[in-house]
Amino acid sequence: MSTGITVADEVIAKFEEFKLKRLKGVGYLVLSIVGDEVVLEKEYPKTMSVAEFQQTLDNSPKYVVVDFDFTTTDGRPADKVVLVSWIPDTAKIKEKMKFSGTKEAVKAALQGIAVNINATDASECTEAEIIAACTKI
């Protein structure tokens, strides 16, 4: 389903810098839909834990791009760019439909996302869930 909502050029440029680790200290990019565009809502530091970041999430849907560091099953350090589609069950139906329908456009515009996670409540985007998704073959 296409909603006609596009990703702002500024978001794509910021994401390119983010995935190449040129945004020093930034670990989370929070994106939201304003009008007919996906825009950058906020940035959070890499020093913030996943649990701390979860505390910032509310009932409004968002896309969250995470620069996630983890240890592989064979003990090597690794990192991946993760897209979390935060669409809580408590959000308004119209908002849920808008964000669900725009997710593919976001994924297509932001080249380099390694892992996608759909989260409808906090238990679906914990650090353990993200590690499980990153280490899944």
Side-chain angles (χ1 to χ4, degrees):
M1 176 176 93
S2 176
T3 59
I5 296 171
T6 59
V7 179
D9 291 340
E10 299 81 34
V11 171
I12 296 169
K14 181 72 87 169
F15 175 75
E16 290 299 320
E17 297 292 308
F18 180 77
K19 77 175 182 184
L20 295 173
K21 310 235 186 266
R22 292 184 184 149
L23 296 179
K24 299 295 180 204
V26 177
Y28 304 85
L29 297 177
V30 179
L31 312 175
S32 60
I33 296 174
V34 176
D36 62 351
E37 263 191 335
V38 176
V39 297
L40 180 65
E41 181 178 303
K42 194 161 183 176
E43 298 175 6
Y44 288 96
K46 191 158 178 72
T47 55
M48 182 180 262
S49 72
V50 174
E52 290 171 325
F53 177 74
Q54 279 185 318
Q55 300 302 312
T56 69
L57 296 173
D58 54 19
N59 285 341
S60 60
K62 299 172 184 352
Y63 302 111
V64 182
V65 183
V66 183
D67 181 8
F68 189 71
D69 297 325
F70 64 100
T71 304
T72 62
T73 53
D74 60 355
R76 292 177 293 117
D79 65 79
K80 289 190 179 181
V81 176
V82 178
L83 174 66
V84 177
S85 298
W86 172 252
I87 306 174
D89 286 333
T90 54
K92 294 179 181 175
I93 291 175
K94 186 175 181 180
E95 289 293 303
K96 292 195 301 190
M97 294 299 290
K98 187 168 33 170
F99 273 81
S100 296
T102 306
K103 185 174 75 169
E104 290 303 317
V106 171
K107 286 177 10 185
L110 305 182
Q111 295 293 312
I113 292 173
V115 177
N116 285 305
I117 296 175
N118 297 317
T120 58
D121 67 47
S123 69
E124 295 176 337
C125 62
T126 63
E127 187 167 358
E129 289 292 324
I130 297 173
I131 290 171
C134 287
T135 56
K136 186 169 38 172
I137 296 175

